[in-house]
């Protein structure tokens, strides 16, 4: 039937990149979504109520300057009193996806101005074999030459997801800085996606580029390399339907350049109110840091008890596990069984082309029981 939607027709494979988080709407027996890396706690209740309340104001335009939500987010990022100094470098967007596209297009413009419109700029992702695909998709769409991660050449645009989704690899801040210096060309643009980095610990800021102001300034002043720190806030606060992202630019001027090509009212009213409230919910983050590592270890133990030969990747603090099941046939069957049990997982085949891999989100023990039960016949 024309216009009908199924799990197999959600994505236009000619123009879009596959992503998890779509199957729940097609499952009559849905229990829990293991296919997305959102916080096991679910959406923070207070912030959800703030977003609901904002619905009553949808007859008004949202704030064009994203305030006071942007200031609230700046205070969260830089709580030691220097948020005003860096506020002008911060821009919010309709999820990280919008901001990724803005930075890629601005990089393309900068390269054309510096080297001519017939020059094809080069792009490279993380040193790991695969990462979140939206960066490469946007670069390819905008005409960049895509280099393999193993290519040693310096590139015009460098994009790294750190921690890497889905592989779980992670650079602490000093190795990350060294890798950037070794791989970016003079005058180039860098995006470091730290969407999953706040799971690191209560001390996450000190192992993050959000605190490396001198490094960003040095790279810009000495090499004209512009470093952008990207966040999708919809994972740590489990609000993917609201679409909330931010980017920290190297300077306020870089931020202004992005604003010029960003559509107005990019972030809607309920999302702005959500941000205002959620950054105040310290108890939610404390519980996240206290329990995610424990729940992930529990999930790993249950999986290895089922199949000791499986290889599980990823840092202990992350909100998912990346499992190499050894064969595509076994991985495909695991995906099917999980879906049939109402607990969909993320296949490594579409998008990532990791045929024997499956990604499983960290969830509570009772929900893990359902998944393990579904996989007992593997």
């Amino acid at each position: 039937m024309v216009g009908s939607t199924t799990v197999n027709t959600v994505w236009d494979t000619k123009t879009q990149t596959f992503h998890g988080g779509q199957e729940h709407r097609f499952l009559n027996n849905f229990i829990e979504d293991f296919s997305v890396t959102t916080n096991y706690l679910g959406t923070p209740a207070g912030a959800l109520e703030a977003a609901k309340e904002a619905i009553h104001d949808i007859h008004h335009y949202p704030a064009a300057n994203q305030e006071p939500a942007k200031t609230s987010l700046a205070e969260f990022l830089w709580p030691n009193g220097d948020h005003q100094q860096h506020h002008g470098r911060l821009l919010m967007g309709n999820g990280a996806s919008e901001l990724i596209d803005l930075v890629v297009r601005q990089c393309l413009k900068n390269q054309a101005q510096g080297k001519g419109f017939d020059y094809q700029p080069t792009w490279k992702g993380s040193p790991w074999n695969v990462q979140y695909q939206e960066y490469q998709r946007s670069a390819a769409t905008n005409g960049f030459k895509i280099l393999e991660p193993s290519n040693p050449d310096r590139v015009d645009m460098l994009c790294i997801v750190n921690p890497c989704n889905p592989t779980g690899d992670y650079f602490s801040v000093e190795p990350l800085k060294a890798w950037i210096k070794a791989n970016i060309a003079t005058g180039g643009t860098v995006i470091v996606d730290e969407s999953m980095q706040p799971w690191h610990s209560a001390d996450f800021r000190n192992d993050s580029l959000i605190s490396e102001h001198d490094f960003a300034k040095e790279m810009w002043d000495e090499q004209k390399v512009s470093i952008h720190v990207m966040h999708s806030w919809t994972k740590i606060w489990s609000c993917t339907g609201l679409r909330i992202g931010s980017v920290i630019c190297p300077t306020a001027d870089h931020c202004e350049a992005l604003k010029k090509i960003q559509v107005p009212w990019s972030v809607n009213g309920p999302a702005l109110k959500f941000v205002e409230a959620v950054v105040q919910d310290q108890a939610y983050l404390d519980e996240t840091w206290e329990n995610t590592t424990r729940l992930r270890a529990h999930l790993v133990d249950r999986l290895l008890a089922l199949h000791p030969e499986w290889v599980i990747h990823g840092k202990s603090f992350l909100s998912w596990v990346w499992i190499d099941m050894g064969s595509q046939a076994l991985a495909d069957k695991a995906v099917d069984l999980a879906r049939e049990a109402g607990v969909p997982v993320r296949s490594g085949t579409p998008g990532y082309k990791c045929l024997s891999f499956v990604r499983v989100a960290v969830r509570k023990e009772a929900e893990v029981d359902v998944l393990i039960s579904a996989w007992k016949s593997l």
Side-chain angles (χ1 to χ4, degrees):
M1 182 176 67
V2 176
S4 64
T5 302
T6 69
V7 69
N8 294 320
T9 62
V10 168
W11 298 105
D12 179 350
T13 56
K14 294 180 180 179
T15 60
Q16 296 175 313
T17 301
F18 181 87
H19 196 285
Q22 295 291 310
E23 291 183 284
H24 66 281
R25 69 191 67 201
F26 304 102
L27 299 177
N28 294 329
N29 63 338
F30 176 72
I31 296 172
E32 178 57 82
D33 195 349
F34 283 82
S35 76
V36 291
T37 56
T38 49
N39 197 316
Y40 81 95
L41 287 170
T43 311
L48 180 59
E49 288 303 313
K52 289 179 180 179
E53 185 64 26
I55 289 293
H56 297 294
D57 286 329
I58 62 171
H59 57 296
H60 294 298
Y61 282 100
N65 63 357
Q66 303 174 345
E67 295 293 358
K70 189 166 78 167
T71 293
S72 297
L73 183 58
E75 291 172 344
F76 172 80
L77 289 166
W78 304 293
N80 296 324
D82 57 352
H83 67 274
Q84 292 180 335
Q85 178 183 352
H86 305 296
H87 180 278
R89 298 166 51 207
L90 180 65
L91 183 66
M92 295 175 64
N94 191 285
S97 297
E98 180 202 16
L99 298 169
I100 292 167
D101 190 62
L102 291 180
V103 178
V104 170
R105 286 194 284 131
Q106 188 62 35
C107 175
L108 184 67
K109 179 180 178 181
N110 294 341
Q111 292 298 325
Q113 289 176 340
K115 299 179 181 178
F117 285 94
D118 58 344
Y119 174 75
Q120 185 181 22
T122 53
W123 179 95
K124 184 165 61 175
S126 75
W128 305 302
N129 68 312
V130 66
Q131 68 176 15
Y132 175 55
Q133 292 292 291
E134 188 61 24
Y135 291 93
Q136 182 170 329
R137 186 206 65 82
S138 182
T141 299
N142 283 284
F144 282 75
K145 180 181 179 181
I146 307 300
L147 303 187
E148 291 298 318
S150 59
N151 192 306
D153 292 350
R154 294 176 181 269
V155 291
D156 300 303
M157 187 164 205
L158 194 63
C159 295
I160 178 172
V161 181
N162 188 53
C164 182
N165 194 351
T167 70
D169 291 291
Y170 179 62
F171 272 144
S172 58
V173 71
E174 291 303 323
L176 174 61
K177 288 157 60 177
W179 180 80
I180 290 171
K181 287 182 176 181
N183 285 278
I184 191 65
T186 299
T189 299
V190 178
I191 301 179
V192 179
D193 186 326
E194 292 194 349
S195 297
M196 313 308 292
Q197 203 273 341
W199 262 280
H200 179 277
S201 66
D203 197 40
F204 74 92
R205 296 173 184 85
N206 288 329
D207 201 41
S208 162
L209 282 187
I210 65 176
S211 300
E212 292 292 326
H213 308 299
D214 291 343
F215 174 67
K217 185 176 188 301
E218 171 193 321
M219 292 296 288
W220 175 246
D221 290 346
E222 297 182 6
Q223 300 183 42
K224 294 306 174 192
V225 168
S226 57
I227 295 177
H228 301 75
V229 184
M230 189 76 63
H231 289 93
S232 168
W233 295 110
T234 62
K235 304 298 191 302
I236 189 71
W237 287 316
S238 194
C239 59
T240 53
L242 271 184
R243 316 306 307 133
I244 302 168
S246 69
V247 61
I248 304 166
C249 300
T251 69
D253 288 341
H254 285 83
C255 195
E256 289 292 328
L258 295 184
K259 284 183 186 177
K260 288 181 180 179
I261 59 174
Q262 184 181 38
V263 297
W265 305 294
S266 175
V267 187
N268 64 61
L272 291 172
K273 287 297 182 182
F274 183 95
V275 170
E276 285 182 59
V278 80
V279 296
Q280 306 299 325
D281 195 343
Q282 185 62 40
Y284 180 90
L285 289 177
D286 288 342
E287 190 171 355
T288 298
W289 293 320
E290 181 179 353
N291 289 311
T292 300
T293 298
R294 175 183 62 81
L295 289 172
R296 188 181 187 279
H298 172 78
L299 173 61
V300 170
D301 288 345
R302 298 294 305 278
L303 291 169
L304 292 180
L306 199 64
H307 274 271
E309 75 279 10
W310 287 352
V311 180
I312 298 180
H313 300 265
K315 296 296 182 181
S316 63
F317 64 83
L318 293 173
S319 64
W320 75 92
V321 296
W322 182 234
I323 312 166
D324 186 354
M325 294 185 170
S327 75
Q328 182 179 2
L330 192 62
D332 288 347
K333 186 175 181 181
V335 170
D336 290 341
L337 289 173
R339 184 187 301 117
E340 291 169 7
V343 285
V345 297
R346 172 66 156 93
S347 169
T349 297
Y352 296 133
K353 299 180 181 179
C354 295
L355 307 187
S356 64
F357 284 78
V358 172
R359 192 187 67 193
V360 179
V362 170
R363 294 293 183 254
K364 296 177 182 177
E365 293 94 334
E367 294 148 352
V368 170
D369 286 345
V370 178
L371 177 63
I372 296 299
S373 179
W375 281 355
K376 283 182 177 178
S377 63
L378 285 174

